[in-house]
Amino acid sequence: MADLAENLAKLDGYLARFREAGVRNLIGGHSVAAQSGATFQTLTPVDEGVICDVAQGAAADIDAAAQAAQAAFPAWRDLAAAERKKVLHRIADRIEARAEEIALCESWDTGQPIRFMAKAALRGAENFRFFADRAPAARDGQALPSPTLMNLTTRVPIGPVGVITPWNTPFMLSTWKIAPALAAGCTVVHKPAELSPITASLLCEIAHEAGLPPGVWNLVNGFGEDAGRALTEHPAIRAIAFVGESQTGSAIMRQGAETLKRVHFELGGKNPVVVFEDADLDRALDAAIFMIYSLNGERCTSSSRLLVQSTIAEAFTVRLAERVAAITVGHPLDPATEVGPLIHRVHLDKVTGYFEVARAEGATIAAGGQRRGDAGCYVAPTLLTGAKPEMRIAQEEIFGPVLTVLPFDTEDEALKIANGVPYGLTAYVWTADLTRALRVTDVLEAGMIWVNSENVRHLPTPFGGVKASGIGRDGGDWSFEFYMEQKHIGLATGAHPIPQLGTLPKGAP
Ligand code: NAD
């Protein structure tokens, strides 16, 4: 892998066009400024310097994009699925060809270490290939014969949809939502996060270069409260696929109520990793560290609460603290970096604010617990011990490289602590006892659970959360269920009797 200096030199070349022209909207196949002419700036969290201007779209731009998506819908819906499949594979080819550019730009815009972003770009291509291959079967249905009818079911794409994405791994998450929408035959208006707009713009450009017809995929940059809101309220948009904070999900549900939007929400998490005394503790340690300190801890599936059995808690926590203190914090484009700067100063302040909360609540900071350096949004990987389940540091999503340790005595206590939060996205269980694993996974309130493993995504499986962590599932056929409508067609198989009205003789009672 290239070193920091090489990466910076390459990045400079890739960013030149954005410095000159900014990040623009892409509506109806045209690269355009916001109709108002307004722009905002995107910054790099490395030194908080300006990367470039970004078109600040609002209701008028969303309206133009929604109209373009509506106009493009019939032709895209009716295109032979085999043709849609080819276009989506061509998008994947071009993502792979530009993976380095995507990874470097994403690292610089978000602060995510390049060691993870290189893979995120390729996973984006995989998402397109996976749903491309499923496109030909998306409309398949069932035959459900009854005594008088041949009942058929089929699925049809719901129509133009809105996709709203967050700033953590923005490229991969955009592909994950948009690829199935396109494969299903929907057209899209995408509103990416205002804090990380660059790779969404690359992705939409790539799709057009790959031959996606104009209007099928429209990109409008802007802020949540105006562009995002307008998208959720637009009458031509049939559904909203949203990834972001739980509170924003509630707001979107309210905003979409008037136009009866179908919603799919992937929201926040406060995910437990539960380590029992009989587990393979070396592997459990590696996985617990990976799942909270990779991707800067800015990861919805992060294991931000470590529930560890009291009999092994002290020894396990000592080893953990040593490893956390040894994590390499640095420039995100340095291949040696394990934790880079957080997305933005506002988020840095939120995360470091929890160090004060931890102290005030009486917890112990066993590693980290402060900013790193004077410039940029760097924070030390942090381990909080001596915590109680009801403390804010054990209840609220911090969304940074911060792990809260909660010892437990019994299986019942572990389950009570694990389930005692508003969220329910993922859970991780470490035990050598198969029957315990079955019991515990049955009771854990989470949409996804891994036993003796870190989070390993397999695209055919359902991805999503329960409680405040979301509504709906992605992956496999579940994505098509969201982006498509079921239709029932009943065909008479003979001349069955039809109830007759208006045939009684005149004057009959
Ligand atoms: P956020 O909710 O602040 O913003 C997400 C997106 O919503 C942005 O594009 C924003 O502009 C837009 N938005 C904000 N207000 C809006 C409104 N009123 N109407 C319409 N759109 C609006 O989230 P964030 O801070 O960007 O991302 C971090 C959050 O995302 C965390 O809570 C994390 O757990 C969650 N997340 C969840 C998953 C998952 O799969 N469950 C995946 C990644 C991130």
Side-chain angles (χ1 to χ4, degrees):
M1 199 183 255
D3 65 16
L4 174 59
E6 286 167 314
N7 281 339
L8 282 169
K10 283 182 186 159
L11 175 77
D12 198 49
Y14 291 133
L15 287 180
R17 52 178 287 207
F18 289 116
R19 280 195 294 267
E20 204 166 293
V23 171
R24 287 156 68 86
N25 295 337
L26 221 164
I27 299 176
H30 301 291
S31 167
V32 291
Q35 291 189 22
S36 67
T39 58
F40 63 97
Q41 293 176 325
T42 183
L43 313 178
T44 173
V46 171
D47 57 9
E48 298 178 90
V50 175
I51 304 176
C52 65
D53 290 334
V54 183
Q56 189 180 329
D61 307 277
I62 290 289
D63 185 48
Q67 286 189 37
Q70 196 170 28
F73 176 62
W76 183 247
R77 174 195 61 200
D78 296 339
L79 186 69
E83 292 304 312
R84 277 207 299 278
K85 173 177 168 177
K86 280 186 202 156
V87 177
L88 299 189
H89 273 296
R90 285 205 299 272
I91 296 175
D93 294 341
R94 280 172 168 71
I95 291 173
E96 283 166 3
R98 291 173 69 176
E100 179 190 76
E101 175 187 5
I102 294 161
L104 290 172
C105 289
E106 182 122 312
S107 278
W108 188 243
D109 207 10
T110 63
Q112 290 289 355
I114 190 70
R115 64 165 61 215
F116 302 120
M117 286 309 96
K119 290 177 198 138
L122 295 176
R123 273 190 63 190
E126 264 175 53
N127 288 335
F128 270 93
R129 294 206 191 286
F130 177 82
F131 288 108
D133 288 340
R134 293 195 165 219
R139 292 207 51 183
D140 288 0
Q142 299 181 41
L144 302 164
S146 61
T148 55
L149 297 170
M150 172 50 76
N151 296 287
L152 301 177
T153 72
T154 182
R155 282 193 300 203
V156 291
I158 190 168
V161 297
V163 174
I164 302 178
T165 47
W167 47 257
N168 68 314
T169 56
F171 183 83
M172 206 284 293
L173 285 173
S174 302
T175 62
W176 180 342
K177 307 306 286 188
I178 294 172
L182 297 178
C186 294
T187 53
V188 171
V189 177
H190 180 203
K191 208 299 281 172
E194 51 270 44
L195 293 180
S196 59
I198 292 181
T199 52
S201 154
L202 291 177
L203 179 60
C204 194
E205 174 184 289
I206 285 171
H208 285 82
E209 284 171 6
L212 195 73
V216 170
W217 180 342
N218 306 276
L219 172 75
V220 179
N221 290 284
F223 296 110
E225 50 277 17
D226 43 29
R229 170 185 270 274
L231 183 56
T232 62
E233 292 176 344
H234 200 287
I237 297 295
R238 307 291 312 142
I240 295 288
F242 170 72
V243 186
E245 282 189 16
S246 302
Q247 277 188 343
T248 315
S250 298
I252 289 175
M253 201 174 242
R254 282 194 296 275
Q255 293 161 198
E258 193 66 31
T259 48
L260 294 172
K261 288 281 182 301
R262 178 184 288 187
V263 293
H264 183 174
F265 288 161
E266 286 177 4
L267 309 173
K270 188 72 177 176
N271 310 302
V273 49
V274 187
V275 181
F276 289 97
E277 61 188 359
D278 62 351
D280 180 332
L281 297 181
D282 292 340
R283 288 177 60 76
L285 186 69
D286 286 342
I289 293 171
F290 177 73
M291 281 312 304
I292 180 65
Y293 299 107
S294 61
L295 297 175
N296 296 348
E298 296 166 317
R299 166 177 206 165
C300 55
T301 54
S302 71
S303 58
S304 49
R305 292 181 295 153
L306 169 67
L307 277 56
V308 55
Q309 199 150 18
S310 311
T311 43
I312 54 159
E314 198 181 325
F316 195 81
T317 311
V318 167
R319 291 177 68 196
L320 182 59
E322 276 169 19
R323 288 274 295 276
V324 174
I327 288 174
T328 306
V329 180
H331 195 294
L333 297 188
D334 185 337
T337 292
E338 293 172 321
V339 170
L342 303 184
I343 180 78
H344 191 272
R345 176 162 291 269
V346 171
H347 189 57
L348 175 73
D349 289 345
K350 174 187 157 179
V351 171
T352 54
Y354 276 100
F355 304 154
E356 299 315 313
V357 171
R359 289 186 187 100
E361 286 182 318
T364 303
I365 293 179
Q370 72 278 322
R371 272 188 73 183
R372 270 285 176 91
D374 299 327
C377 302
Y378 291 91
V379 66
T382 296
L383 183 68
L384 305 175
T385 56
K388 303 241 169 5
E390 63 280 6
M391 289 180 177
R392 286 182 60 199
I393 54 169
Q395 287 286 324
E396 298 175 11
E397 185 184 46
I398 299 174
F399 217 55
V402 182
L403 178 59
T404 302
V405 182
L406 297 158
F408 67 87
D409 289 325
T410 63
E411 189 179 305
D412 282 349
E413 191 189 357
L415 284 168
K416 195 160 166 253
I417 299 172
N419 290 341
V421 294
Y423 298 104
L425 189 59
T426 63
Y428 306 88
V429 179
W430 287 85
T431 178
D433 180 343
L434 178 62
T435 53
R436 169 153 56 199
L438 282 169
R439 272 194 313 275
V440 167
T441 52
D442 196 43
V443 178
L444 276 173
E445 293 168 358
M448 298 168 281
I449 305 169
W450 280 267
V451 177
N452 296 333
S453 175
E454 81 284 27
N455 171 341
V456 182
R457 180 88 185 102
H458 181 50
L459 289 173
T461 60
F463 185 103
V466 301
K467 303 195 313 195
S469 290
I471 297 175
R473 295 292 179 271
D474 266 321
D477 199 57
W478 288 277
S479 299
F480 287 154
E481 276 297 297
F482 176 68
Y483 289 119
M484 302 183 86
E485 294 277 22
Q486 285 285 349
K487 195 182 266 189
H488 161 239
I489 302 139
L491 299 156
T493 48
H496 62 270
I498 298 175
Q500 295 178 331
L501 303 184
T503 57
L504 294 178
K506 271 211 167 90

